[in-house]
Each structure stands twice: as C-alpha cells, then as structure tokens.
Amino acid sequence: MPATGTGQRLLDSATEAFAAKGFHGTTTRDIATAAGVTPGAVYVHHRSKEELLYSISRLGHERTLELVRSGAASSSDPVQQISTMVRDFVQWQAANRTKSSVVNFELAALTEDHRAEVLKIRRSVDAEFRTVVDRGRQEGLFDIEDTGLAVLALLSLCVDVARWYRSDGRQTAAGIGEHHSRLALRMLGAAVPAEP
C-alpha cells in the first residue's frame, strides 16, 4: 500500500538523507527533522531506519520491473523491445537520480531477508532482458557471444546513470534515455534506427 502524508514525507526525507550521507551516516533524527516530525514519529510509520531503506529499495525495484515489462510488451520485435526497455529504464533512473542512487547502491545495508526479496525483483528484471536478448540472438538480430555478459553490460549501462546524471547538465533525462537506447543496440550488434 502506498505511503501517504507523514509516511510519504518520511520516505522522501530518508531518500534524500541516504543519498547525501549514506545509510550508515544517516540518523533517524536527520530523517525526522527533514520530514518536519519528531524522531519518535519515525517509529509510528516504520519499525526501523532499515525498514525505511527496504521500502525505498523495494518500491524502486518494483517500478523498474514494471517499466522493463512494459517495454518488453510494447512490441514483438527484439530490437524495438530493447530500445524501449533501455530508454524507459534510463530515463527513470535519471529523472529519479536521488532515489535511484539509494535503490541501487545501498543494498548492502538491508537485512538478509530484505536484501533477498529485493534481489529477487532484480533477478526478474535481468530475466526480462535475457528473454529478449536471447530471442534477438536466435533471430539473428543481435550479434553477441554471451547473453549473460551482454545483459550485465546493458543493466550496468542503465543503472550507472544514477551515479553521474545531473538535472542541470546539458542533457535531459529523456535525451539520455534516447542516447542510451541507441547505444544499447550498438552494444548488441543490432541495426540502429535513424535518430528521430
């Protein structure tokens, strides 16, 4: 169930704090102060600081999986599927850079059970890409030697945007998404459609 009101403010302030200071450098007081509540209010909505991180990470990974599945369902052509999957994934990563950095780079701070749950969603994202890349390979549309390594490279291309993208830079999130979708096709040895 989506968070509302104070619960959402706590998630938002935790996201900002974790991105700025890291999970271990952030206190519940930091989160509460930024949300405009007392430190005790954190525990009314979340059992722990780690549970806040888990909620942020799970929601972010679920959104990624939705985007990737939607991209895969958008066409029966593997070239178009990969183009859409990468474009939408990258655009979301860039447009939500703060959240993306927490979702992708604070996994080690999760409890074993929470990390396992998030990694299961991550494996589903990987499987969506593998299915499309395998089919493109079988149809002679992709010229690659190893599906697993190709998918790893594609996912790294998408996720790493959160490390460097800046909203005040020369490229928009949408522009980076379009660029990376063409780059992904080149990585796969596919014919790249002309730029719009």
Side-chain angles (χ1 to χ4, degrees), residues 65-177:
L65 183 56
E66 286 171 13
L67 288 170
V68 168
R69 283 183 171 159
S70 176
S74 69
S75 173
S76 59
D77 173 21
V79 171
Q80 185 58 51
Q81 288 173 305
I82 286 294
S83 180
T84 303
M85 291 162 77
V86 170
R87 183 196 67 216
D88 293 353
F89 190 173
V90 167
Q91 185 172 336
W92 190 88
Q93 289 283 110
N96 297 278
R97 183 194 170 280
T98 301
K99 187 179 295 181
S100 296
S101 65
V102 173
V103 164
N104 291 303
F105 307 124
E106 291 290 343
L107 287 175
L110 292 172
T111 65
E112 190 176 324
D113 288 346
H114 285 165
R115 188 166 48 252
E117 188 177 333
V118 169
L119 291 176
K120 183 177 178 184
I121 301 168
R122 199 173 259 220
R123 284 191 296 276
S124 295
V125 171
D126 181 275
E128 293 289 332
F129 273 94
R130 281 176 183 268
T131 297
V132 175
V133 171
D134 266 339
R135 195 157 41 76
R137 229 177 129 189
Q138 290 163 5
E139 293 177 13
L141 299 169
F142 300 150
D143 182 19
I144 54 169
E145 296 174 6
D146 186 303
T147 296
L149 285 176
V151 168
L152 183 61
L154 289 174
L155 292 174
S156 295
L157 179 73
C158 295
V159 168
D160 222 46
V161 169
R163 289 190 195 274
W164 57 264
Y165 178 75
R166 291 174 47 115
S167 60
D168 60 353
R170 66 184 182 88
Q171 289 285 344
T172 64
I176 296 292

Side-chain angles (χ1 to χ4, degrees), residues 79 83 178-179 181-187 189-195:
V79 171
S83 180
E178 290 293 342
H179 173 271
S181 70
R182 292 190 299 277
L183 186 58
L185 294 178
R186 289 187 187 100
M187 288 169 59
V192 181
E195 291 188 40

